Amino acid sequence: MSNDHQAYLAKRQLKRGTAGWILLAGLGVSYVISGDFAGWNFGIAQAGWAGFAIAAVLMGLMYLTLVLSLAEMSAAIPAAGGGYSFARQAMGPTGGFLTGLAVLIEYALAPAAIVIFIGSAVEALLGFNGPWVYAIFYLVFVGIHLAGVGEALKVMMVISGLAVFAIVATGVALIMHFDINNLFDIAMTDAAGASDMLPLGWYGVWAALPFAMWLFLAVEGVPLAAEEAKDPGKDVPKGIIGAMVFLLFTALLVVVLVPGAAGAQAMGESAVPLVDALNATGNASLATLVNVLGLAGLVASFFSIIYGYSRLVFALSRAGYLPKSLSLTTERKVPARALIVPGIFGFIASLSGEGDLMLAMAVVGATVSYALMALSHILLRVKQPDLPRPYKTPGGVVTSGVALVLSLIALTGVYAFDPRAFFFTMGLFVIGAAYYFGYS
């Protein structure tokens, strides 16, 4: 390695040995946990409860098979770029860039959308909202990340713990009010294939797929912390699989008990389904607490996805795909510019106020990246069978093949729900590809 190259990398180092598998699992949960509080339930309005349950099972299977594939690749290729790094090794620089671009679209738009929802929650609790609320949240939580990764991950664990407590407490309170008839209180329509079980037909199941993804969206970000793990070969697979198993449990709690206690129709239209379900069943005091802790869930996801985008931008910049200045790290081994610059763009995007559109666009970026990451797993198994793999995916390429097929189906589901989000995101891909082939 040349002296120039050594000097280049010396200015671009993350703090190794910071995160064990429990912190990584907590990171995976915090990426996702806000999705349990709201967003998923709109899928019930698209498909009825049984239709949404089918969509949720399919998306749960997609994420589980993807996570098992990522666990193998993250142990074999422990790099801060996560899915981008795997795709680059499997498909070369262009495949790596396109995968990184897809993840970047997801991780850049999601915090902008979430901070809009945070603003709405603050307004409900305290009576005020606006761009300055968004700015305060960006400044505070980017600032915590600038203090160092160990401090940031510990704060993240505390916030996520409060959100998990709210979900479990809601489940305990609602189980006594569960009535299976409440799950099927949406009247059958004249849609193709409609029935009492599927009141909006099979098209509704298709359109509900993006909402089912809300229950797990961004768990794939755990490998972005690989370079800061104590033992990447062991900690990252255990962390991401542990997070996924826990998220399957919380998804089951909210999808079954919330509409089962308060009615599918009412919950399919609710902006705060856990709170409304508790109020409907006479648990007003707990509802107030869950409303406050629901804000903690939004903050947890906002906070952790900021961490995720910073590590992705760091990796893409260090490799030369993005301006190289973005990968410079501080004395605390923090990629400061990779935290601040996307945060500025995210804040500007949040001023649009179109949180739902940005989340749908984030889902498009996510599903494209899932397809490319699953394909990377298959190609690495075929092209590099002797690559050291401390963890191996159960089922091998069959498992990643399932993830590939389901991710492509999920991508079309965004089009079924909102064609604008699909085409806007494709436009971002065209701009990103033009930058890559013309300049990067």
Side-chain angles (χ1 to χ4, degrees):
M1 185 183 293
S2 69
N3 289 335
D4 288 345
H5 191 54
Q6 287 179 328
Y8 178 83
L9 292 178
K11 298 175 183 178
R12 293 161 171 83
Q13 297 289 324
L14 298 175
K15 188 175 181 181
R16 298 182 183 275
T18 305
W21 78 268
I22 293 177
L23 267 182
L24 292 174
L27 173 63
V29 171
S30 66
Y31 276 133
V32 183
I33 199 69
S34 64
D36 282 331
F37 286 90
W40 62 270
N41 55 301
F42 296 130
I44 296 176
Q46 296 290 324
W49 183 83
F52 177 71
I54 293 170
V57 168
L58 288 173
M59 293 299 92
L61 178 61
M62 179 188 77
Y63 275 96
L64 179 60
T65 52
L66 179 68
V67 158
L68 293 172
S69 305
L70 290 174
E72 175 179 300
M73 293 189 290
S74 61
I77 311 167
Y84 139 73
S85 301
F86 313 147
R88 177 170 177 156
Q89 184 147 337
M91 296 182 283
T94 300
F97 175 79
L98 292 176
T99 305
L101 176 62
V103 180
L104 185 57
I105 289 171
E106 174 192 357
Y107 275 55
L109 293 176
I114 292 170
V115 82
I116 294 170
F117 301 146
I118 288 173
S120 298
V122 169
E123 185 174 18
L125 290 169
L126 303 176
F128 52 81
N129 193 4
W132 63 276
V133 174
Y134 309 158
I136 288 172
F137 275 88
Y138 265 108
L139 287 170
V140 169
F141 291 108
V142 168
I144 294 173
H145 280 299
L146 290 172
V149 64
E151 292 77 2
L153 289 177
K154 288 168 187 173
V155 171
M156 207 180 297
M157 284 286 283
V158 172
I159 298 172
S160 299
L162 293 171
V164 168
F165 169 78
I167 292 168
V168 173
T170 299
V172 171
L174 294 181
I175 196 166
M176 298 300 294
H177 301 277
F178 178 81
D179 182 346
I180 195 169
N181 293 317
N182 288 336
L183 299 175
F184 305 103
D185 64 355
I186 296 177
M188 184 175 68
T189 66
D190 57 1
S195 64
D196 289 336
M197 290 286 287
L198 298 176
L200 291 103
W202 287 104
Y203 187 91
V205 178
W206 186 31
L209 291 174
F211 298 100
M213 287 178 63
W214 251 273
L215 296 163
F216 312 105
L217 185 72
V219 69
E220 75 280 0
V222 173
L224 292 167
E227 289 187 30
E228 291 153 293
K230 292 179 181 176
D231 183 352
K234 293 181 180 178
D235 290 336
V236 180
K238 288 169 68 176
I240 193 170
I241 293 171
M244 186 64 206
V245 170
F246 187 81
L247 291 165
L248 287 168
F249 166 70
T250 57
L252 183 65
L253 273 184
V254 297
V255 170
V256 174
L257 293 180
V258 170
Q265 183 165 356
M267 293 301 96
E269 300 167 354
S270 172
V272 281
L274 275 66
V275 174
D276 286 347
L278 290 167
N279 280 323
T281 53
N283 293 283
S285 297
L286 181 57
T288 302
L289 177 62
V290 169
N291 203 7
V292 174
L293 296 183
L295 177 59
L298 287 167
V299 168
S301 293
F302 177 70
F303 189 36
S304 54
I305 295 174
I306 287 174
Y307 171 86
Y309 78 55
S310 70
R311 270 48 182 181
L312 177 64
V313 169
F314 166 81
L316 290 170
S317 166
R318 184 175 61 179
Y321 288 116
L322 297 176
K324 293 179 181 179
S325 62
L326 291 175
S327 54
L328 291 170
T329 49
T330 66
E331 291 181 0
R332 292 176 175 267
K333 306 300 183 186
V334 173
R337 296 181 187 182
L339 280 162
I340 294 168
V341 174
I344 292 170
F345 282 108
F347 171 70
I348 293 170
S350 73
L351 299 179
S352 70
E354 294 216 43
D356 292 344
L357 175 62
M358 281 187 284
L359 267 181
M361 292 173 67
V363 167
V364 176
T367 51
V368 171
S369 74
Y370 300 164
L372 292 170
M373 287 189 278
L375 180 60
S376 298
H377 181 270
I378 295 169
L379 292 175
L380 286 171
R381 279 290 186 102
V382 173
K383 292 181 176 181
Q384 300 182 35
D386 298 325
L387 180 70
R389 291 172 168 85
Y391 173 86
K392 288 191 174 182
T393 303
V397 296
V398 173
T399 300
S400 47
V402 170
L404 174 58
V405 171
L406 288 174
S407 61
L408 292 174
I409 293 171
L411 173 61
T412 66
V414 180
Y415 180 81
F417 165 65
D418 187 348
R420 286 187 314 155
F422 184 86
F423 288 117
F424 287 169
T425 313
M426 290 300 109
L428 292 178
F429 273 107
V430 170
I431 294 169
Y435 170 82
Y436 171 71
F437 289 109
Y439 177 75
S440 178

